[in-house]
Amino acid sequence: MIAPSDRQPIVVADAGPLIRLAAAGILDTLRGLNRRIVLVDRVEEEVVGDLSKPFAPEIAAWIEGLGEAALRVETVVGIGVAALRARPRTPTGDALLKSALRDSGEQALREFIAHWHPTESDSAVVLYEDRKVATLFLDVDFPVTLMTTRAFVATVTRWGINQDAVLALESIAGRYDLKPALVGEIDPSQPPDLRVLPQPMPTDAE
């Protein structure tokens, strides 16, 4: 389990955690951990590509404010989507773009984890809401701590980083689907077929 003193980078695996933390008014809790925030291009585009979407301007400003604390990852998937959007519109091009966008966030994340290896403490903390995303990390060759948004806010509350984080997140539960507080540890020394998806977070975890 991660500890407050760890320097592990935080990978925001899908759009869900950013949107929910922004809606709860606790997005800056991520910055409070003083760790590198990893954002894959297709995940970033999903949350800030259309600034008319709820909380998109707030998230965009927050990302820009991170400066060098953010590792903004470009992927072949993201480059392909951008190239298709830049072409003159045609029925064929629109069909290709629609196909490219389908599950593009998951595909970009898959591409990223296939080639990336963390340099800070040789491990990573991954925040997610989409259960399908968690399965992508079962085969990684570096240590990973997988956490849903609820598990993350429970952790930062326990560490004293934001004592109101849990209450703030629960205040939006009526508007946003929130996965249970799930945590999983991926040990690369363990055979992939013995690894399990995140499990309910112990209430007395330290």
Side-chain angles (χ1 to χ4, degrees):
M1 181 63 67
I2 59 173
S5 59
D6 288 344
R7 294 289 301 157
Q8 304 173 72
I10 299 173
V11 180
V12 181
D14 57 65
L18 289 178
I19 294 171
R20 285 153 179 77
L21 291 173
I26 53 174
L27 187 57
D28 230 28
T29 303
L30 282 168
R31 187 172 359 196
L33 295 180
N34 194 30
R35 301 177 188 184
R36 198 91 185 270
I37 309 297
V38 181
L39 296 165
V40 175
D41 51 9
R42 292 301 306 143
V43 172
E44 182 175 348
E45 200 275 339
E46 186 175 341
V47 290
V48 302
D50 181 353
L51 293 178
S52 68
K53 289 184 176 180
F55 305 106
E58 292 88 344
I59 297 173
W62 176 80
I63 291 173
E64 290 302 321
L66 288 174
E68 294 185 358
L71 174 59
R72 300 162 83 172
V73 179
E74 193 174 46
T75 66
V76 171
V77 174
I79 293 171
V81 168
L84 287 171
R85 281 182 168 154
R87 291 167 57 173
R89 290 196 61 178
T90 65
T92 300
D94 288 349
L96 283 172
L97 178 59
K98 183 177 180 180
S99 176
L101 286 171
R102 189 177 300 116
D103 298 323
S104 62
E106 181 178 332
Q107 292 171 18
L109 184 64
R110 187 187 299 274
E111 176 190 332
F112 164 67
I113 61 177
H115 300 97
W116 179 73
H117 196 290
T119 57
E120 301 177 46
S121 303
D122 296 319
S123 57
V125 178
V126 175
L127 300 189
Y128 75 98
E129 277 291 312
D130 187 340
R131 185 180 183 278
K132 292 188 300 182
V133 164
T135 65
L136 298 179
F137 285 86
L138 291 178
D139 293 330
V140 297
D141 60 358
F142 51 86
V144 169
T145 299
L146 292 159
M147 309 180 81
T148 59
T149 312
R150 266 190 169 129
F152 171 74
V153 298
T155 299
V156 298
T157 297
R158 189 171 66 248
W159 290 349
I161 293 172
N162 185 337
Q163 295 289 358
D164 300 320
V166 169
L167 290 177
L169 187 67
E170 293 305 321
S171 72
I172 67 163
R175 290 179 289 152
Y176 290 90
D177 176 47
L178 291 169
K179 295 294 185 295
L182 305 176
V183 176
E185 300 285 343
I186 303 300
D187 181 353
S189 68
Q190 188 176 45
D193 57 349
L194 295 181
R195 302 175 189 176
V196 297
L197 288 170
Q199 301 298 309
M201 186 178 188
T203 56
D204 60 347
E206 294 295 336

